[in-house]
Amino acid sequence: MTERRAGDLNDADEHEFSNRADRSSTAVRDTDGSMSVTAAAQRFSALDGATPMPAQLFAAEAVSARTDTLSRMELGDLAWLAELDVDDRAEAVAEIRDALAMAMNSKDSAPLRNMLHAWAATATVMRDPLRRAVHTHRADDSDFVDVEIPRRGGDVRP
């Protein structure tokens, strides 16, 4: 990160400062000691979208390590993890970790947000016992029937 003092910037420096901010980040220190940091909007968006996630992920992992019965209160924004069984929860946490690393490296938090939304939707489905049974039921032979090949009839177009 490039750091400059506010009084030191002329027009050429401001242009260079802006170009560097597009590539990484730059900082201007005011005469009172305060600092302003400039970063590309995409990088800021990625950081803003991913910043709270490490603490939430660590909390979820700590609670999961302590017990299989999770408290929604302890999980905060990841409370939906409590709806999942142990295996699905472990898979979700691993995917969160991977998506978080990808968001930080690619400077794009959209895949992280999309993955969190998909897992939250899965948890919502699994909360309902009937829906859970539909998705986790093992099929047996009685679940399948023989059908005839459709025949061309008067209402079927060639």
Side-chain angles (χ1 to χ4, degrees), residues 32-157:
D32 66 358
S34 63
M35 184 180 288
S36 297
V37 177
T38 304
Q42 182 182 12
R43 180 175 178 167
F44 177 77
S45 177
L47 293 173
D48 189 46
T51 300
M53 192 49 54
Q56 293 172 11
L57 179 61
F58 293 149
E61 288 178 321
V63 172
S64 293
R66 194 175 67 236
T67 180
D68 286 342
T69 308
L70 302 183
S71 161
R72 295 175 65 82
M73 185 69 127
E74 291 178 296
L75 295 171
D77 288 343
L78 299 177
W80 50 264
L81 283 170
E83 306 293 340
L84 302 173
D85 64 28
V86 175
D87 293 335
D88 285 343
R89 190 178 318 130
E91 186 177 343
V93 166
E95 284 188 27
I96 293 169
R97 193 179 312 109
D98 292 345
L100 179 61
M102 189 170 68
M104 299 306 283
N105 287 329
S106 69
K107 299 173 182 59
D108 181 7
S109 63
L112 173 63
R113 288 191 313 271
N114 292 339
M115 185 272 311
L116 289 170
H117 176 74
W119 270 109
T122 299
T124 299
V125 168
M126 299 308 256
R127 181 182 312 136
D128 181 318
L130 180 58
R131 288 180 177 172
R132 179 186 292 267
V134 167
H135 288 281
T136 60
H137 171 75
R138 293 210 184 265
D140 59 33
D141 288 341
S142 67
D143 291 325
F144 302 96
V145 296
D146 290 326
V147 295
E148 292 183 26
I149 296 175
R151 295 185 190 163
R152 193 172 273 186
D155 61 341
V156 177
R157 294 185 186 145

